[in-house]
C-alpha cells in the first residue's frame, strides 16, 4: 500500500509539520535529492572545493612566507573568497528554486503519480532569475539595515565615553546591556527572523511577487501565530543543527589532524603535504553536500508551516473540495 500523498494546503501542528516533512522526503527521496544534486550540486561542490583549498593551504600563508608579499596574499585571498561566495550564492539559489519546484509540481500531480527530474526544469529560468534578483535585493537592504544599527550603537558607545578612559564603568554597563539585549532578541525573534525570508522567497517564486510584497504576505499570515511558528521553526532549526553537526564531524577531525601535522618545531609553515590538502578537499566537499542535504528538513518545515498559516486563514483546500462537490 502506497503512502497517502502529502499536500501543501493543510493546517498542521508541530507533529503534522514533522510528519509532512519526513513523509515528503520518504515518498520522493530519489527525485528530490537527485534533482538537488544534479542542478545545485555542481555549484555547491565548486564552492566547497574553493573553500577547502583556502583553509587547506593555510589561507595562502605559504605564499606570504615565501616572499610573495602582502599584495599577492590579499589578492589571492580576496579572489578565492569572491569566487567561493559567488558560486555558493548561485548554488543556494538553484537549491531553493529546485526544492520549491518539487513541492509545487507535486501539488499538481494526481494521486499515484510520481515526481521525476523533468518537473524540476518546468519554467525554471524565470523562477531562478526572479528568486536570484529578489534575494540580492533582500541582502542589500539587510546589509544597509545592519550598518545603520551598528552606527546607532557606535554613537551610543561614544556618548557613554567609549572614546576615552574617563567613563570605563559606563562603557562596561552599556556593553553588558547591549549583549544581553542582543541575546534576548535573538532568542525571541531569531527563529521568526529566519522564517520570514525563507517563507517570503517561497512565496516570491510561487506567486511571482516581488520580495517585499511577499514579506508583507508572510507577515499577514504570521499575525496571531507568532509562538506556534516560533516553536516549529526552533525545533526545525535544532533538528537541522544537530544533524548538520553530525555529518560535519569527519571534516573537523581531518582538519584538526591536518593542522597539527603541519606544525613543525622550527615554526616553518611554508611546506605542505599535498596529499593532506587533497584529503581535506575531498572530506570538506562531501560533508558540505551532506549538510545541504540535511538542510532540506529545515526548509521543508518552514514551507509547510507557512502553508499551514495560509490555509488556517484562507481555507483554500476546503473551498476547493466544496467546488469539486458542486
Amino acid at each position: 500500500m502506497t503512502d497517502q500523498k502529502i499536500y501543501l494546503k493543510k493546517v498542521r501542528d508541530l507533529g503534522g509539520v514533522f510528519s509532512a516533512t519526513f513523509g515528503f522526503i520518504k515518498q520522493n527521496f530519489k527525485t528530490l535529492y537527485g534533482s538537488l544534486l544534479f542542478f545545485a550540486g555542481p555549484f555547491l561542490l565548486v564552492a566547497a572545493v574553493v573553500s577547502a583549498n583556502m583553509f587547506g593551504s593555510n589561507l595562502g600563508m605559504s605564499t606570504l612566507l615565501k616572499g610573495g608579499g602582502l599584495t599577492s596574499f590579499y589578492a589571492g585571498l580576496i579572489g578565492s573568497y569572491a569566487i567561493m561566495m559567488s558560486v555558493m550564492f548561485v548554488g543556494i539559489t538553484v537549491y531553493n528554486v529546485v526544492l520549491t519546484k518539487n513541492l509545487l509540481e507535486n501539488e499538481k500531480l494526481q494521486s499515484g503519480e510520481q515526481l521525476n527530474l523533468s518537473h524540476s526544469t518546468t519554467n525554471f529560468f524565470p523562477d531562478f532569475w526572479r528568486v536570484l534578483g529578489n534575494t540580492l535585493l533582500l541582502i542589500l537592504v539587510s546589509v544597509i539595515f545592519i550598518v545603520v544599527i551598528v552606527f546607532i550603537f557606535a554613537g551610543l558607545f561614544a556618548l557613554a565615553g567609549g572614546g576615552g578612559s574617563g567613563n570605563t564603568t559606563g562603557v562596561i554597563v552599556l556593553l553588558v546591556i547591549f549583549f544581553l539585549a542582543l541575546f534576548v532578541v535573538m532568542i525571541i525573534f531569531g527563529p521568526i527572523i529566519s522564517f520570514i525570508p525563507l517563507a517570503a522567497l517561497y512565496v516570491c517564486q510561487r506567486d511571482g511577487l516581488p520580495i517585499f510584497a511577499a514579506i508583507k504576505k508572510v507577515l499577514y499570515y504570521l499575525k496571531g501565530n507568532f509562538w506556534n511558528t516560533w516553536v516549529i521553526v526552533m525545533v526545525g532549526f535544532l533538528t537541522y543543527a544537530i544533524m548538520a553537526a553530525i555529518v560535519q564531524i569527519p571534516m573537523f577531525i581531518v582538519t584538526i589532524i591536518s593542522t597539527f601535522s603541519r606544525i613543525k618545531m622550527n615554526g616553518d609553515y611554508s611546506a605542505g603535504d599535498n596529499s593532506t590538502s587533497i584529503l581535506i578537499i575531498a572530506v570538506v566537499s562531501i560533508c558540505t553536500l551532506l549538510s545541504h542535504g540535511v538542510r532540506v528538513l529545515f526548509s521543508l518545515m518552514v514551507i509547510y508551516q507557512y502553508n499551514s498559516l495560509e490555509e488556517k486563514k484562507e481555507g483554500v483546500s476546503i473551498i476547493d473540495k466544496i467546488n469539486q462537490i458542486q
Side-chain angles (χ1 to χ4, degrees), residues 1-302:
M1 182 177 178
T2 58
D3 296 329
Q4 186 178 1
K5 180 180 175 180
I6 298 171
Y7 291 94
L8 287 169
K9 299 176 182 179
K10 184 177 180 180
V11 178
R12 294 180 169 93
D13 57 9
L14 175 60
V17 170
F18 249 105
S19 298
T21 297
F22 286 98
F24 182 82
I25 293 174
K26 178 183 176 182
Q27 291 179 9
N28 305 283
F29 185 86
K30 290 183 179 180
T31 301
L32 175 62
Y33 281 100
S35 59
L36 290 173
L37 187 62
F38 183 79
F39 292 108
F43 297 99
L44 299 175
L45 188 60
V46 169
V49 169
V50 174
S51 175
N53 188 59
M54 288 171 60
F55 289 97
S57 60
N58 293 320
L59 293 175
M61 286 299 295
S62 60
T63 301
L64 182 62
L65 292 172
K66 289 177 180 178
L70 286 174
T71 301
S72 299
F73 169 70
Y74 284 116
L77 181 62
I78 294 173
S80 298
Y81 188 76
I83 293 173
M84 180 191 70
M85 293 303 297
S86 299
V87 177
M88 181 180 293
F89 179 71
V90 173
I92 290 176
T93 302
V94 174
Y95 178 100
N96 292 332
V97 171
V98 170
L99 179 61
T100 301
K101 280 286 181 188
N102 277 274
L103 286 167
L104 297 179
E105 293 301 316
N106 179 69
E107 197 78 359
K108 301 174 184 178
L109 298 177
Q110 299 297 321
S111 181
E113 291 185 285
Q114 291 293 320
L115 279 171
N116 56 59
L117 199 62
S118 63
H119 288 119
S120 300
T121 62
T122 304
N123 203 36
F124 174 81
F125 283 104
D127 286 344
F128 170 76
W129 292 117
R130 182 184 299 111
V131 173
L132 183 72
N134 282 285
T135 304
L136 284 171
L137 180 60
L138 181 61
I139 292 173
L140 177 61
V141 173
S142 300
V143 169
I144 293 174
F145 176 79
I146 292 172
V147 169
V148 170
I149 295 297
V150 169
F151 274 113
I152 290 175
F153 276 97
L156 293 175
F157 180 76
L159 289 175
S165 58
N167 193 12
T168 306
T169 303
V171 173
I172 294 175
V173 171
L174 183 62
L175 288 174
V176 171
I177 293 174
F178 169 74
F179 285 111
L180 285 175
L182 182 63
F183 176 77
V184 172
V185 168
M186 290 308 299
I187 290 295
I188 297 177
F189 296 102
I192 303 302
I193 292 174
S194 65
F195 171 81
I196 291 173
L198 290 174
L201 288 172
Y202 163 77
V203 174
C204 177
Q205 181 177 341
R206 186 195 67 178
D207 299 343
L209 295 175
I211 188 63
F212 295 111
I215 290 176
K216 182 179 179 181
K217 194 171 185 178
V218 172
L219 292 174
Y220 170 75
Y221 292 119
L222 186 61
K223 185 178 180 181
N225 297 282
F226 182 94
W227 288 112
N228 67 328
T229 301
W230 185 94
V231 170
I232 290 173
V233 175
M234 178 61 80
V235 171
F237 175 76
L238 290 175
T239 303
Y240 159 66
I242 292 171
M243 296 182 71
I246 292 173
V247 300
Q248 291 184 32
I249 288 175
M251 180 181 70
F252 293 127
I253 293 174
V254 171
T255 302
I256 291 172
I257 293 174
S258 176
T259 300
F260 280 103
S261 69
R262 288 172 180 270
I263 298 176
K264 298 184 177 182
M265 295 301 294
N266 61 0
D268 181 13
Y269 295 88
S270 61
D273 185 357
N274 291 329
S275 62
T276 303
S277 298
I278 293 173
L279 178 62
I280 291 177
I281 291 173
V283 172
V284 169
S285 300
I286 293 172
C287 291
T288 299
L289 291 179
L290 289 175
S291 65
H292 284 296
V294 171
R295 189 165 68 86
V296 169
L297 295 171
F298 181 66
S299 299
L300 287 176
M301 288 188 71
V302 168

